[in-house]
Amino acid sequence: MTVNADAQELAKFSDLAHRWWDPESEFRPLHEINPLRLDWIDSLAGLRGKTVLDVGCGGGVLSESMAGRAAHVTGIDLSTKALGVARLHALESEVMNLEYREIATEALAAERPGSFDVVTCMEMLEHVPDPASVIEACARLAKPGGWVFFSTLNRNPKAFLFAIVGAEYVLKMLPRGTHEYERFIRPSELTRWCRDAGLTPAGSRGLQYNPLTKRYWLSDDTSVNYLVATRKPG
């Protein structure tokens, strides 16, 4: 089976893996938006005591914070280096209810279908060749009645201006080349793929940033960064 991954994308994040937990590094935006994502997921799904899968977990920023909310978390990724960083940080932080695996989403879906109360897939879909395949696998991994969350970037001129020109070139918040505009996903496309996978959309939020105050917040504006909550029918 062909692995649904882009070698160049994996290499890009592997090269930065050692900086994943440095809040002043290229991953600073990730650290700053993480509490917003975490609270939104928790408010809908109620993480305490739940079995959670974090797809494309990278260095484990979201995985570890969900484990901190008393969830039993499995983080998966295909970057060996990022997972090494994630495991080391969890060890240093003495997080017990957390494990990491180097496995493709589709492969885990074949191995453990219907196993998780909550599945998260954040900032990953725009980095894989076939995002619909990942969404379908996430749906298979969720238990009946389970929650599946996605976040990605909208595809429109404003998103190009803010997420690429602004974030990568003007403000230098992200390394140049982090994102490719052609891979951005419109909410209508994401919603269609979710419905095709048997998931029912249950809410969405936009993520906004003010470069003057350097503050992020969730809003109803999904024109650039956005999050989508879905449920698998019970």
Side-chain angles (χ1 to χ4, degrees):
M1 185 175 80
T2 307
V3 176
N4 182 18
D6 184 319
Q8 284 183 308
E9 293 291 292
L10 285 174
K12 192 157 64 184
F13 289 100
S14 291
D15 290 344
L16 295 169
H18 63 290
R19 297 171 65 80
W20 212 288
W21 282 92
D22 178 358
E24 299 303 318
S25 74
E26 298 88 342
F27 295 104
R28 179 177 177 173
L30 193 62
H31 288 273
E32 291 178 343
I33 67 172
N34 192 58
L36 296 171
R37 302 186 306 179
L38 176 67
D39 286 345
W40 189 63
I41 292 165
D42 198 8
S43 70
L44 291 171
L47 291 170
R48 176 172 289 276
K50 299 287 173 63
T51 55
V52 179
L53 176 68
D54 188 17
V55 173
C57 64
V61 174
L62 179 61
S63 298
E64 205 169 292
S65 60
M66 291 193 292
R69 296 278 174 100
H72 303 279
V73 182
T74 301
I76 65 170
D77 206 285
L78 290 173
S79 168
T80 307
K81 285 184 180 178
L83 287 174
V85 169
R87 288 189 181 106
L88 181 62
H89 196 274
L91 197 67
E92 290 172 344
S93 306
E94 299 182 343
V95 181
M96 308 305 292
N97 46 324
L98 173 60
E99 67 162 338
Y100 290 108
R101 290 186 62 187
E102 187 173 331
I103 186 171
T105 322
E106 292 88 346
L108 188 65
E111 181 188 305
R112 294 187 61 188
S115 294
F116 298 93
D117 298 305
V118 180
V119 179
T120 61
C121 180
M122 315 305 261
E123 281 85 48
M124 179 198 159
L125 293 175
E126 69 273 20
H127 297 289
V128 297
D130 186 356
S133 173
V134 172
I135 291 168
E136 197 272 331
C138 288
R140 275 194 289 151
L141 283 154
K143 292 178 182 177
W147 287 89
V148 186
F149 294 90
F150 301 100
S151 71
T152 189
L153 284 149
N154 203 337
R155 191 173 70 255
N156 57 46
K158 181 181 175 181
F160 177 79
L161 189 66
F162 280 61
I164 295 181
V165 177
E168 296 183 19
Y169 288 83
V170 179
L171 300 173
K172 296 181 172 60
M173 294 162 63
L174 299 168
R176 290 185 182 187
T178 297
H179 294 114
E180 293 175 42
Y181 177 70
E182 297 75 22
R183 292 189 169 189
F184 288 5
I185 300 165
R186 293 192 181 106
S188 58
E189 295 167 335
L190 180 55
T191 303
R192 185 178 75 246
W193 290 334
C194 287
R195 290 189 194 280
D196 289 348
L199 296 171
T200 305
S204 64
R205 299 294 279 155
L207 183 68
Q208 290 186 266
Y209 177 70
N210 183 326
L212 298 177
T213 60
K214 297 186 176 178
R215 190 176 74 85
Y216 290 89
W217 68 96
L218 295 182
S219 75
D220 293 327
D221 182 356
T222 59
S223 58
V224 185
N225 296 75
Y226 66 99
L227 305 91
V228 170
T230 69
R231 292 201 83 168
K232 185 173 181 173

